[in-house]
Amino acid sequence: GMITLALSKGRIFDEILPLLAAAGIQVLDDPEKSRKLILATSRDDLRVVLVRATDVPTYVQHGGADLGIVGKDTLIEHCAEWGETSLYQPLDLKIAQCRMSVAVPVGFDYAGKVRQGARLRVATKYVNIAREFFAAKGVHVDLIKLYGSMELAPLTGMADAIVDLVSSGNTLKANQLVEVEQVMPISSRLVVNPAALKLKQQRMRSLIGALAAGVEQEFNPD
Ligand code: AMP
């Protein structure tokens, strides 16, 4: 049977291509030029399905894809929502690296507020990660769930702080926000459907092995 790999467009798609190439696999369509959702590869038993980043764990969990590539941020939120489920997480692909951080408007005394035990209004898409993080620090927060553009929340007075992904820091800077604390480092993970792993054992294991070798090569070249 066919092996189906779930990917999201953008950073993850762009950064997985060299790792797939190292495993001898080329994706035959460019998602930026075509509207296809199912992409053929140079291996006739492997195809790529393009889904939203937050849908990748769902596709893999429910067997719409045999494996998928998803940011640690999205994966933690998915598991918090749906339980540890049955997704295997065999490999950190070390792509799409960034960090999840707390940011506040320039001039906001975050450390002081935390010291005083003040209640903070925090806007984020990552409510489960944020809840855990502030609970572990003993900081009282009112979480406001957003689906995009978290930077706007403090600028409109709706929140004191945000929890968001930071890469270059340019987005924060452009909105007069500063990073005050790191929550966790983020990178993309391979997730695997356990039933598919059993059914297509040999080819799945060799694909996972080839990706692992690609990661090693990319990040620890001799
Ligand atoms: P930057 O301006 O480079 O710090 O990028 C920050 C913005 O890009 C944030 O709003 C994030 O949502 C997004 N971003 C940065 N890195 C990643 C990543 N590895 N995966 C997904 N989104 C990211």
Side-chain angles (χ1 to χ4, degrees):
M2 181 70 87
I3 294 177
T4 302
L5 170 66
L7 292 178
S8 54
K9 278 204 250 183
R11 207 172 315 231
I12 287 179
F13 186 89
D14 298 343
E15 294 191 24
I16 197 62
L17 290 182
L19 286 178
L20 289 174
I25 298 160
Q26 278 77 42
V27 180
L28 300 180
D29 300 283
D30 178 352
E32 301 304 329
K33 291 191 186 130
S34 120
R35 306 191 60 156
K36 281 190 202 167
L37 297 176
I38 301 182
L39 311 180
T41 75
S42 53
R43 264 177 59 170
D44 56 16
D45 66 341
L46 178 70
R47 64 180 185 176
V48 166
V49 291
L50 292 178
V51 303
R52 280 187 71 129
T54 46
D55 290 337
V56 167
T58 307
Y59 268 82
V60 175
Q61 185 178 333
H62 295 282
D66 301 305
L67 11 78
I69 295 167
V70 60
K72 186 181 174 188
D73 51 320
T74 306
L75 189 55
I76 293 175
E77 288 295 324
H78 177 87
C79 292
E81 224 48 59
W82 300 100
E84 280 303 308
T85 71
S86 49
L87 289 175
Y88 285 168
Q89 302 174 27
L91 190 58
D92 179 357
L93 295 162
K94 300 184 183 174
I95 60 167
Q97 294 193 26
C98 61
R99 55 196 183 271
M100 189 168 296
S101 293
V102 182
V104 300
V106 172
F108 181 84
D109 183 14
Y110 174 76
K113 296 280 182 192
V114 166
R115 222 179 305 113
Q116 293 158 25
R119 230 184 151 76
L120 291 175
R121 297 167 304 156
V122 179
T124 187
K125 185 168 143 188
Y126 308 99
V127 285
N128 294 288
I129 294 172
R131 189 182 303 113
E132 279 272 303
F133 175 76
F134 290 111
K137 287 172 57 79
V139 175
H140 298 287
V141 291
D142 292 317
L143 293 173
I144 302 169
K145 165 93 184 187
L146 289 177
Y147 293 88
S149 299
M150 281 147 262
E151 315 78 59
L152 189 57
L155 303 181
T156 57
M158 184 167 78
D160 304 307
I162 62 171
V163 170
D164 194 8
L165 299 178
V166 182
S167 180
S168 66
N170 289 338
T171 303
L172 293 181
K173 202 180 227 176
N175 293 288
Q176 290 88 50
L177 299 170
V178 285
E179 207 173 345
V180 286
E181 200 161 25
Q182 191 182 41
V183 176
M184 62 176 69
I186 299 290
S187 59
S188 293
R189 314 290 155 123
L190 189 66
V191 289
V192 177
N193 178 292
L197 186 59
K198 262 194 197 144
L199 276 172
K200 307 170 189 175
Q201 173 118 228
Q202 223 172 3
R203 286 176 308 141
M204 296 270 285
R205 290 211 183 277
S206 95
L207 178 57
I208 295 165
L211 288 172
V215 175
E216 274 303 302
Q217 193 54 40
E218 182 107 337
F219 291 94
N220 302 303
D222 303 320

